[in-house]
Amino acid sequence: MAFTRQEILNRLEAQVKAGRPIVGCGAGTGISAKFAEAGGADLIIIYNSGRYRMAGRGSLAGLMPYGDANAIVVEMASEVLPVVKNTPVLAGVCGTDPFRLMPVFLKQLKEIGFSGVQNFPTVGLIDGNFRANLEATGMGYDKEIAMIKLAHEMDLFTSPYVFDEDQAKAMAEVGADILVAHVGLTTSGSIGAGVALSLDEAIDRTMRMAEAGRKVRKDIMVICHGGPFDEPDNVGVALKRMPGVVGFFGASSIERLPVERAIRSQVEAFKSLSLA
């Protein structure tokens, strides 16, 4: 079922007041979403990289020309939305897509049953000359900001990825409900990123983004994501060092890493049996 923006905010604020972290969960399959909800997820987010990740590919596949990201999230809706009974589901929207009339597409997502949106795939993960040329040719992060602004005006819940202080400030200004401070791809597991910040660096970067967002709106919620924020122990240590950061968004950490471990150990257990 879909939730209004205010209903979601009320739920999340109640979690924070109770001293519990907000946990957002990326889901690439219906069963991932079903059991994320069973575990108590506050938000479930679906997008193209979830599908690719659960197909054994790295999350960066979602930024490559392997499929229509916005069409894929609509396809995934039919798998995920019917099995999630009482948790808001957000759509990952490629805000830079030049082949979508964004007001029409966001209305479609709302009618399908999504409660909100996130900016993914995002050019925030791209840097260097390629990023500069994307920005120069009308496919830059400003389009993602505009998409979040439009979604907010349509009363959709918004939880955008931000990668630096300027982006945190800009997303807060257009009404983002939660800033997801992104510090890089998750590193653990068989297809994790090979380069990441240290935990200290990730904490520092997250706090700088959080402070930038709060300069615009004191009440804005901020959660952390990516890089060395990969396992409950690491995130638990980090949250104690990040006052005002109220939770964690996990994607690889929620579905890929547990699946990698569980399937491997289950097969190993069967292979260790002896015949009569």
Side-chain angles (χ1 to χ4, degrees), residues 189-256:
S190 65
I191 52 174
V195 178
L197 301 176
S198 69
L199 189 61
D200 286 343
E201 290 170 332
I203 288 170
D204 176 66
R205 186 173 294 186
T206 299
M207 289 304 294
R208 284 190 276 114
M209 287 187 269
E211 288 162 10
R214 283 195 287 265
K215 284 180 181 176
V216 177
R217 293 205 337 261
K218 290 182 179 179
D219 63 337
I220 197 164
M221 289 182 278
V222 181
I223 63 177
C224 61
H225 172 73
F229 301 138
D230 54 1
E231 301 283 2
D233 288 348
N234 285 344
V235 174
V237 168
L239 287 175
K240 290 177 181 177
R241 295 174 54 189
M242 297 191 295
V245 175
V246 296
F248 165 72
F249 172 60
S252 294
S253 300
I254 295 293
E255 59 175 357
R256 174 176 64 82

Side-chain angles (χ1 to χ4, degrees), residues 90-106:
L90 313 185
V93 175
C94 181
T96 60
D97 185 347
F99 298 98
R100 300 278 169 175
L101 294 171
M102 201 51 66
V104 176
F105 184 58
L106 292 179

Side-chain angles (χ1 to χ4, degrees), residues 125-191:
L125 284 168
I126 301 170
D127 57 17
N129 289 334
F130 185 41
R131 172 66 177 276
N133 282 309
L134 286 172
E135 298 286 347
T137 54
M139 292 174 281
Y141 191 84
D142 63 306
K143 296 297 189 297
E144 299 179 28
I145 296 169
M147 183 274 291
I148 293 296
K149 181 177 187 292
L150 180 59
H152 175 71
E153 291 168 352
M154 295 173 66
D155 202 39
L156 285 160
F157 183 84
T158 55
S159 63
Y161 281 133
V162 296
F163 299 84
D164 60 36
E165 294 99 314
D166 289 341
Q167 292 173 6
K169 181 174 179 289
M171 285 296 193
E173 286 172 343
V174 299
D177 296 301
I178 285 186
L179 299 180
V180 184
H182 198 309
V183 296
L185 298 178
T186 303
T187 52
S188 298
S190 65
I191 52 174

Side-chain angles (χ1 to χ4, degrees), residues 27-29 31-32 49-57 191 251 255-257 259:
T29 66
I31 197 166
S32 297
S49 275
R51 172 172 285 185
Y52 294 143
R53 183 167 52 240
M54 298 310 285
R57 276 69 178 183
I191 52 174
E255 59 175 357
R256 174 176 64 82
L257 298 179
V259 165

